[in-house]
Amino acid sequence: MARKRRGSGNPTIMDVARAAGVSAITVSRAIRTPGRVSTEARARVAAAIRDLGYTPDPAAKALASSRSDIVGVLVPSVTNSVFLDTMRGLYEVCETTDYRVQIANTRYSAAEEERLLRMFLTQRPAGLIVTGIDQSAATAGLLRSAPCPVVQITEIGPAPFDMMVGFSHSDAARVAAEHLVDSGYRRIAFLGARRDARSTRRLSGFRAGLEGKGLYNPARVLFADRPSSVPLGAEQLVELLTRDPDADAVLCNNDDLALGVLFECQRRGLAIPDRFGICGFNDISAMATACPAVTSVQTPRREVGRQAMTMLLARLADEDPGRPVRDLGFRLVRRDSTRRGQGAVAPGPGRVRPIA
C-alpha cells in the first residue's frame, strides 16, 4: 500500500515515483513538461497516478517553480454576454496548454478589483489579464510590479503596464453618432447604464460626433445608476420622450438597452426607422435577428480574448509576443433600424410591411 502524505491521507509524489519506478523529479517533469520525459516513463507515471489517485498540490507546485499554472483574469461581470464572449476566446487558446484560467468578478468596483488582484498575486500566477485601463493607483502599482506577464483587454491606451489589446470606445461611438446624422436624424439621444469608464468614453465619442454637426444637446443624455437591461432601455425611452417628444434617434451604450428601445417603440406605434432610429453597441446576435434588425457597433470581443491569451503565452514561452499594444478596431453594422427614407417597418408582432 502506498505511503500517504502525513496527516492528509493523500498519496505523495514520492509514492507515485516508487510505484512507477522513477525518480520524483521524473514524476514532476511528466506532470509539468511531459515532452522532456520518455513515452515509456510517462506511461508508467500516468498509470501510477491513476492507481494511487494522486492529485498534485497547486501550492507546492507554485513554491517549487516560483509560479503556479494559473492565469488570473479580472472582469467586471460574469453574466454580461460581452465578457462571456471574451472569456470564450481566452479559453479557446488556453485549453490546449498546461495553464488554467481562473476568473474573478470585480463587479465594477475598484476596491474589489484591488482585493482580487492581491489574492491572485498570493497564488504566484503565471500571468494576469485585466479589463480596462482605469485601475486605481494601488491596483496600477501592483500590476506594474507584478512578477508575471500582464495583458489589459477591451481597450487601448497610451501607457500599458505590459501588453494591451482592444479598441477605442470613443472612436466607435463617434462613428455611430455620425452615422445617425448621415442617416437624417437630428434630435439624437444617448442612453446609458452604469457610468463606468468605458461608458464615459462612449459618451465622449457620441458628443464629439454631434458637436461637429452642431446637434449635441446634454438634455438628451440619459444615464441610469443600475445595471443595463432590456426593461431599462424601454424605461429610458419613455423618459426621453417625456423630456423631448420630438427626439428621433438614440445611440444606446449597449445592445440590451437598444432592444428595450425597439420594444417600446413598437408598443407605442413609432415607425422604425422613419420616425425613430436605433443604434446599439457590441452587436450581440439578437441585433441581426430582431424585427426590424438593429444597427450596432460590432466589437471584436472574442478576438480580444484570443489575442490576449496568445500574447501572454508567448511571453511565458520566452517568445516575442509581437506588438505590445494591439488595436483590433470595430465595425459599424448598418441594418433596418437606421435606414431612414428606405421604408419603415410597421410596429407590432407579425405585421412587417413597408409603410408608404
Side-chain angles (χ1 to χ4, degrees), residues 151-176:
V151 186
Q152 291 164 271
I153 60 171
T154 74
E155 294 192 74
I156 55 170
F161 301 122
D162 184 6
M163 297 176 285
M164 183 181 292
V165 57
F167 63 96
S168 170
H169 292 252
S170 176
D171 286 351
R174 175 183 53 77
V175 168

Side-chain angles (χ1 to χ4, degrees), residues 58-305:
K61 211 171 150 186
L63 288 172
S65 66
S66 81
R67 72 184 183 201
S68 69
D69 58 3
I70 292 170
V71 175
V73 180
L74 293 164
V75 294
S77 171
V78 293
T79 57
N80 187 318
S81 63
V82 171
F83 297 109
L84 291 176
D85 287 342
T86 300
M87 287 187 278
R88 185 175 296 113
L90 293 172
Y91 278 109
E92 285 174 354
V93 174
C94 193
E95 63 187 1
T96 58
T97 75
D98 293 330
Y99 295 102
R100 296 179 295 139
V101 173
Q102 285 193 4
I103 305 291
N105 180 9
T106 68
R107 303 195 300 277
Y108 294 92
S109 165
E112 183 68 359
E113 182 178 50
E114 179 187 344
R115 186 188 73 80
L116 291 169
L117 175 59
R118 291 185 184 278
M119 179 194 72
F120 271 139
L121 289 172
T122 65
Q123 300 179 45
R124 305 181 183 223
L128 291 165
I129 296 174
V130 297
T131 303
I133 59 175
D134 295 281
Q135 286 75 23
S136 68
T139 298
L142 291 170
L143 290 170
R144 287 192 190 96
S145 60
C148 63
V150 175
V151 186
Q152 291 164 271
I153 60 171
T154 74
E155 294 192 74
I156 55 170
F161 301 122
D162 184 6
M163 297 176 285
M164 183 181 292
V165 57
F167 63 96
S168 170
H169 292 252
S170 176
D171 286 351
R174 175 183 53 77
V175 168
E178 291 172 348
H179 162 69
L180 290 170
V181 174
D182 293 342
S183 298
Y185 302 102
R186 293 295 178 265
R187 303 177 72 89
I188 305 167
F190 181 92
L191 306 184
R194 284 196 191 277
R195 196 190 284 263
D196 65 341
R198 284 172 294 283
S199 298
T200 300
R201 276 188 273 281
R202 292 175 193 176
L203 175 57
S204 71
F206 169 82
R207 178 172 181 167
L210 292 192
E211 282 185 336
K213 308 288 186 178
L215 296 175
Y216 178 72
N217 185 339
R220 289 195 284 267
V221 174
L222 283 71
F223 258 105
D225 293 326
R226 66 182 201 266
S228 177
S229 67
V230 173
L232 176 60
E235 293 173 26
Q236 287 184 314
L237 179 62
V238 172
E239 182 180 349
L240 170 64
L241 294 177
T242 300
R243 292 188 187 185
D244 182 3
D246 295 323
D248 61 1
V250 289
L251 171 59
C252 296
N253 189 45
N254 60 48
D255 292 333
D256 287 347
L257 297 179
L259 288 172
V261 170
L262 172 66
F263 298 152
E264 184 63 21
C265 282
Q266 292 172 334
R267 191 183 72 80
R268 289 170 170 258
L270 297 180
I272 302 168
D274 283 351
R275 167 61 182 88
F276 205 87
I278 306 170
C279 182
F281 202 105
N282 284 314
D283 198 32
I284 63 174
S285 60
M287 308 309 274
T289 56
C291 185
V294 180
T295 296
S296 190
V297 176
Q298 188 178 90
T299 57
R301 305 178 300 278
R302 188 169 174 181
E303 187 61 19
V304 163

